[in-house]
Amino acid sequence: MQAEEEALFQWEEVRGKARITGCTRSLRLLVIPEQIAGLPVVQIGDYAFKGMQQLGEVRLPSGIEFLGDHVFFNCIGLEKLSAYDKISHVGDGAFKNCDHLSEIVLHVKNDHASALRLLISDVMQDVRADILYEEKKTRLMFPAFYFDYIENYPARIFEEVIYGAGQAYRQCFRGGDVDYEAYDRLFERSGREDAPQAVLQHALGRLVFPYRLSDERKTAYETWLSEHGLLLLKECMKRDVPEEFESALSFDLFDEIQTKKLLEAALQEKNAVFINLLMAYQGRRFAPAGKSRRKKYEL
């Protein structure tokens, strides 16, 4: 296995440690080893994996501290990145043109998720971050944003305008970790400025994984989801994630009239899994005492 890794990666020794500088073939899954030739891998050099268009997922080892400039530049197929909190430097343009990167998993061993801020600085599209602390997990949504420049003709200058709350979300870090209170305060703004699908993932993620979530902010997320039940249902059916819909149902957000409308929508789509979830919810919440409305549908 060690010989295979040495043949797969181009690397160099730097003060008794290894810096990976390239890869000898195109891969769909790139797993960086903890060691190479007996040396701990702590760095990935500039442009190491640029232009690997088939690359879909990257898994970095726990010892990585440094990502050089444009490491994954133009990796247009990259969708998922797994990394650890030891990363202290991410070079310029590390994820530039990685327009499909939508999922980051960060393993946190020292109760500080500051590496996340470095990893998402180049990522302007919607990106979901799963932060795995040693004892707890949380899920955060960082919505998309983009810049535009509008001419101020009298002043003969162009003024920068930012659309979406995504940049503000990417500033919610303090003391080496996520500032969860600041992050949650942005939700009202996100509801006004961001795509409903991103807002939905934001609310659901914070409710299902309520790490450092205050009662006040919890209520705001619950209220939004209760008002957007049909969007929740349609998105979960579209992505075929009944487990997410079931998690939302566990919060008892929908009244009897809303539940009937959701059930009608699921029946219209002939989606037996979601029909049965809603029938179970309806029976649990609204059936008269001693009776059950639960009925299993087979379509």
Side-chain angles (χ1 to χ4, degrees):
M1 185 65 179
Q2 180 176 323
E4 292 179 5
E5 290 173 346
E6 291 184 35
L8 177 60
F9 295 105
Q10 298 163 339
W11 61 281
E12 58 190 12
E13 183 177 348
V14 181
R15 294 188 293 276
K17 299 178 181 180
R19 175 195 292 148
I20 290 181
T21 59
C23 189
T24 59
R25 68 174 186 265
S26 180
L27 299 169
R28 174 66 185 167
L29 170 62
L30 178 64
V31 180
I32 304 298
E34 292 278 357
Q35 295 185 346
I36 195 163
L39 301 177
V41 177
V42 299
Q43 296 186 19
I44 301 180
D46 298 349
Y47 296 93
F49 306 112
K50 68 177 180 67
M52 290 181 62
Q53 297 187 4
Q54 299 302 315
L55 185 61
E57 180 178 351
V58 174
R59 298 175 188 171
L60 300 178
S62 59
I64 289 290
E65 302 172 356
F66 181 100
L67 298 179
D69 295 344
H70 297 87
V71 173
F72 298 104
F73 174 68
N74 262 359
C75 291
I76 59 175
L78 181 60
E79 297 176 351
K80 181 177 180 179
L81 171 73
S82 298
Y84 286 79
D85 60 341
K86 201 170 183 179
I87 295 173
S88 59
H89 176 87
V90 176
D92 180 58
F95 298 96
K96 187 175 180 61
N97 293 347
C98 296
D99 296 338
H100 290 91
L101 179 58
S102 59
E103 184 177 354
I104 293 176
V105 178
L106 182 69
H107 301 266
V108 177
K109 293 187 174 182
N110 299 309
D111 206 33
H112 292 286
S114 58
L116 180 62
R117 183 175 188 173
L118 301 175
L119 293 171
I120 63 175
S121 62
D122 272 346
V123 183
M124 298 178 65
Q125 66 270 15
D126 291 339
V127 59
R128 188 185 79 188
D130 284 351
I131 306 176
L132 309 182
Y133 294 94
E134 287 193 293
E135 296 182 354
K136 293 186 178 180
K137 170 183 176 178
T138 190
R139 175 170 291 172
L140 304 180
M141 186 71 188
F142 292 87
F145 71 101
Y146 66 96
F147 298 94
D148 197 5
Y149 294 89
I150 299 177
E151 184 178 8
N152 184 333
Y153 183 75
R156 296 183 179 180
I157 60 173
F158 284 88
E159 297 178 345
E160 183 181 79
V161 179
I162 301 173
Y163 296 95
Q167 188 187 52
Y169 273 105
R170 286 159 173 79
Q171 304 305 311
C172 293
F173 292 84
R174 183 177 63 180
D177 200 6
V178 178
D179 185 340
Y180 286 92
E181 177 60 27
Y183 177 92
D184 290 327
R185 281 200 305 267
L186 285 170
F187 185 64
E188 184 179 349
R189 175 180 170 183
S190 180
R192 296 193 306 266
E193 298 183 18
D194 298 322
Q197 292 81 2
V199 182
L200 169 64
Q201 290 300 310
H202 181 172
L204 190 57
R206 288 300 280 144
L207 288 174
V208 174
F209 303 100
Y211 184 66
R212 299 183 189 174
L213 178 62
S214 69
D215 290 341
E216 178 184 357
R217 303 303 173 189
K218 179 175 182 287
T219 299
Y221 290 126
E222 289 177 335
T223 299
W224 192 92
L225 275 182
S226 70
E227 294 172 351
H228 295 82
L230 193 57
L231 172 66
L232 170 67
L233 174 65
K234 289 181 177 179
E235 283 296 307
C236 288
M237 287 195 296
K238 178 181 177 182
R239 296 188 292 114
D240 192 24
V241 285
E243 66 280 1
E244 289 190 13
F245 188 67
E246 189 171 16
S247 295
L249 291 177
S250 70
F251 297 108
D252 293 345
L253 301 176
F254 308 116
D255 61 26
E256 190 166 9
I257 294 175
Q258 288 174 302
T259 303
K260 287 180 179 178
K261 291 180 179 179
L262 293 174
L263 184 54
E264 289 171 1
L267 284 165
Q268 187 174 3
E269 294 295 322
K270 298 182 180 180
N271 193 314
V273 174
F274 286 86
I275 290 169
N276 286 321
L277 286 175
L278 284 161
M279 289 295 294
Y281 177 79
Q282 189 180 56
R284 174 172 62 82
R285 289 209 65 200
F286 309 117
K291 296 183 180 180
S292 175
R293 295 183 185 178
R294 184 167 186 177
K295 179 180 179 180
K296 192 166 184 176
Y297 279 76
E298 300 290 347
L299 298 181

